[in-house]
Amino acid sequence: MNTQFGSKANPIAFDHESPEHADNWVAEFRDMREKCPVGWTEHHGGFWVATSYAAVVDMARDTGSFSSHKSFDPQTGTGSGGITIPFTPIPRGLPVESDPPEWNALRGFINRRFAPKAVEAFRDDARLYATALLNRVIETGEMDLVNDFTGPVPAMVTMKMMGLPLSEWREFADPLHAMVFTPKEAPEYASVVAGVEWIFRRCAEEFVRYKDQPEEDNLLSFFAHQQVDGRKLSLDEVLSLANNIIIGGVDTTTALTTHALAYLADHPEAKARLMADPSLIPFAREEFLRFFTPIHCLARNVTQDTAINGQDLEQGDRVMLAWAAANRDPEIFEKPDEVQFDRSSNRHLAFGSGIHRCIGSSFARMMFEEMIAQMFARIPEWEVDRAASQRYRSVGTINGWESMPIHFAPGSRVACSLEI
Amino acid sequence: MKVGVDRRRCVGQGMCVLYAPQAFVLSDEDGCAEPRFEDVPTDQEDAVRRAFDACPEQAIVVIG
Ligand code: HEM
Ligand code: SF4
């Protein structure tokens, strides 16, 4: 029997959902990477955690041994697998919780809608929403960065992309954010869940409505009219696609942009550099992606016995790929705990690796650019009220901020075709 | 120096386009990278090497 450190007989103490991890994840991941880059923890029913860059990439690429499939029975509310630990009792996200060949058909079906050219078509929209949202608050000299700006912009772009009415943006943005941080025991949890259910009910209603109309240029209408492998999508599949696109794209982009704006407030010299030379912004963005890694870790199912790093992974085990730990691996990144905009190369894994690698990265990158540009142009100086800011109590799934009040010199509204 | 992209490995990370915008373009169909040339002009060699290093999928092939 394997008794080495980190084996099932000699497990590590790791819980990505714990407050200790939220406070101390950099050091904890460093320690794990050094002592056992693949290790077993007993939390949440037991699972492996991979923390070295090499182990994470190997597993992400080997979809034969490491499956993303999730099963869920809505009658009983039970199921297994998928990319979250603990198991989330909702229908699976697609394409993210599928394996080839099902994955190939679905990803091939939607790829074109997320390619760089398709994304550029939304840049003016992102700019418009960012302009209108700052108009709402700029005269007051204060806002909550998350709730007034970095949350709503991705939410509104996503609504536009899906074909949902923009007037519902607040009802859309708030539950998507609250869902990530509201504890299941909290009295408001039920209303947050109801808010999220409402969003997917709206997706279903609009999907059905689009079926009876000529095809329009949005995703729900595309799903209603186009065929995959010679057949129409079922409503369940449409909701699974919507789930993956909406939940995968909104709060992640929010987290990235919030971290970046907080970092820049604390590092005026870095901010001055980006303002003086905006061609550096994309490199800074990739470095923020590496450094903060908005999605800390995601899970896989082990489908056959596999030995990795001297550990014995068994069929039926669950394993967590810690993108955030891989992104600080000194084997790959020099001085990994420093933010350096001019790394000679930056092969971070913030968008994952292998076939499931984020389809929405061009969207995320574009929305980030538009939000940063809008801040730089209109609110060049801002101060973060750190005492009043609340980081997510658990960063194990999304490393982001519940709220972040900021202060700035009041500015003026600008002409904008959208009033919100 | 010659450059190519292994389409079986490339998943459209787009890091290559960031480091060598004149050497690669992302497809409008699936977002995957295509090199704009096979023979790398001398003034593009550094950029192509950085793209090679930055590709998380090791999908870029460089010869020479
Ligand atoms: C900074 C923002 C974002 C981050 C950090 C991020 C991160 C990730 C990661 C790590 C994966 C890999 C999942 C896995 O391996 O199991 C992924 C997949 C995915 N992301 Fe993103 N994402 C972001 C933005 C977006 C946006 C804006 C969209 C939609 C417009 C989106 C849609 C998706 C989808 C649909 C998948 C599944 C792809 C597949 O299974 O083939 N993401 N994302
Ligand atoms: S960086 Fe690599 S994986 Fe990404 S698009 Fe370029 S060649 Fe493809």
Side-chain angles (χ1 to χ4, degrees):
Chain A
M1 186 174 174
N2 190 336
T3 56
Q4 77 172 13
F5 183 60
S7 63
K8 285 186 180 175
N10 189 4
I12 56 172
F14 171 75
D15 178 3
H16 56 295
E17 299 250 289
S18 67
E20 295 76 41
H21 176 73
D23 287 340
N24 200 28
W25 62 270
V26 175
E28 189 181 30
F29 276 150
R30 186 186 305 122
D31 202 42
M32 287 162 69
R33 208 172 36 232
E34 282 168 7
K35 295 195 182 125
C36 67
V38 178
W40 177 260
T41 165
E42 304 265 275
H43 286 276
H44 305 293
F47 61 97
W48 297 99
V49 197
T51 45
S52 71
Y53 191 97
V56 168
V57 159
D58 283 352
M59 291 182 187
R61 285 200 192 131
D62 183 357
T63 50
S65 307
F66 301 98
S67 145
S68 298
H69 185 76
K70 170 172 173 176
S71 57
F72 176 69
D73 177 359
Q75 308 299 313
T76 60
T78 57
S80 64
I83 58 164
T84 54
I85 294 178
F87 179 79
T88 325
I90 55 166
R92 64 187 175 143
L94 285 175
V96 79
E97 290 175 315
S98 70
D99 296 325
E102 186 189 19
W103 173 86
N104 302 69
L106 290 169
R107 175 101 179 201
F109 177 59
I110 59 173
N111 256 337
R112 193 164 44 83
R113 315 283 310 201
F114 294 84
K117 185 173 161 199
V119 171
E120 277 313 305
F122 286 90
R123 191 177 283 278
D124 287 346
D125 298 298
R127 188 168 302 165
L128 177 70
Y129 308 151
T131 308
L133 285 158
L134 285 195
N135 272 354
R136 264 178 87 233
V137 296
I138 196 160
E139 289 167 337
T140 67
E142 59 184 25
M143 69 165 146
D144 185 306
L145 199 50
V146 181
N147 291 297
D148 292 326
F149 191 54
T150 60
V153 171
M156 291 167 85
V157 172
T158 307
M159 295 181 84
K160 168 90 182 188
M161 179 200 327
M162 294 299 295
L164 296 165
L166 213 55
S167 57
E168 294 166 4
W169 71 274
R170 193 86 262 180
E171 293 89 323
F172 188 84
D174 289 351
L176 286 177
H177 179 53
M179 187 188 62
V180 183
F181 64 79
T182 310
K184 294 188 180 54
E185 314 73 63
E188 63 276 20
Y189 186 69
S191 71
V192 173
V193 171
V196 174
E197 283 169 358
W198 175 85
I199 292 171
F200 291 104
R201 205 160 53 242
R202 292 291 295 119
C203 288
E205 287 165 6
E206 294 298 303
F207 168 70
V208 171
R209 195 176 62 78
Y210 282 125
K211 277 188 165 178
D212 298 332
Q213 288 173 11
E215 186 172 347
E216 291 175 37
D217 188 13
N218 64 59
L219 278 178
L220 287 170
S221 182
F222 176 75
F223 295 159
H225 289 273
Q226 298 297 320
Q227 303 205 331
V228 184
D229 283 346
R231 62 174 182 88
K232 286 275 174 72
L233 289 171
S234 68
L235 178 59
D236 281 349
E237 285 173 309
V238 169
L239 290 178
S240 285
L241 286 163
N243 167 312
N244 191 182
I245 293 161
I246 294 170
I247 295 181
V250 176
D251 216 52
T252 46
T253 309
T254 305
L256 171 69
T257 314
T258 310
H259 276 300
L261 290 169
Y263 178 90
L264 293 174
D266 289 350
H267 297 83
E269 68 306 330
K271 188 172 73 168
R273 222 180 132 202
L274 296 185
M275 281 179 156
D277 181 3
S279 72
L280 274 176
I281 291 175
F283 296 93
R285 177 194 64 210
E286 299 308 309
E287 181 66 346
F288 290 134
L289 277 159
R290 182 190 72 81
F291 194 77
F292 296 110
T293 315
I295 299 190
H296 254 208
C297 29
L298 291 172
R300 298 288 189 265
N301 313 304
V302 180
T303 59
Q304 53 197 11
D305 293 0
T306 314
I308 296 185
N309 279 93
Q311 306 287 10
D312 302 320
L313 281 61
E314 294 171 275
Q315 183 184 354
D317 287 349
R318 301 273 287 150
V319 55
M320 194 71 123
L321 315 189
W323 314 114
N327 277 344
R328 300 287 187 113
D329 190 337
E331 288 276 321
I332 305 291
F333 304 102
E334 243 173 74
K335 305 212 170 122
D337 298 326
E338 286 179 15
V339 172
Q340 296 182 354
F341 296 161
D342 26 30
R343 290 185 179 277
S344 70
S345 75
N346 187 350
R347 54 168 101 161
H348 70 76
L349 302 179
F351 288 124
S353 177
I355 63 167
H356 290 288
R357 188 260 165 195
C358 186
I359 199 176
S361 57
S362 298
F363 263 110
R365 286 167 165 152
M366 178 278 283
M367 293 190 277
F368 175 92
E369 283 166 10
E370 290 304 319
M371 285 189 271
I372 297 288
Q374 195 67 215
M375 282 295 285
F376 281 7
R378 299 178 63 195
I379 306 183
E381 304 283 338
W382 64 95
E383 215 172 279
V384 175
D385 184 344
R386 286 276 175 182
S389 300
Q390 176 67 51
R391 196 199 53 213
Y392 284 156
R393 276 153 258 199
S394 155
V395 303
T397 307
I398 296 191
N399 173 22
W401 293 82
E402 228 175 280
S403 62
M404 186 177 284
I406 64 168
H407 303 278
F408 48 87
S412 331
R413 299 165 58 91
V414 293
C416 178
S417 61
L418 179 69
E419 197 63 47
I420 51 174
Chain B
M1 184 177 175
K2 285 186 188 296
V3 64
V5 172
D6 181 346
R7 287 194 65 91
R8 286 162 309 175
R9 291 196 88 119
C10 174
V11 293
Q13 293 266 13
M15 295 304 281
C16 52
V17 180
L18 188 65
Y19 284 103
Q22 283 156 48
F24 300 94
V25 54
L26 297 181
S27 137
D28 292 334
E29 282 303 314
D30 58 10
C32 285
E34 286 153 18
R36 290 179 194 262
F37 38 66
E38 194 184 323
D39 293 303
V40 183
T42 333
D43 65 351
Q44 284 296 308
E45 287 186 356
D46 274 356
V48 167
R49 274 203 195 90
R50 287 177 79 187
F52 171 83
D53 284 339
C55 172
E57 307 298 321
Q58 294 173 296
I60 297 172
V61 186
V62 173
I63 304 167

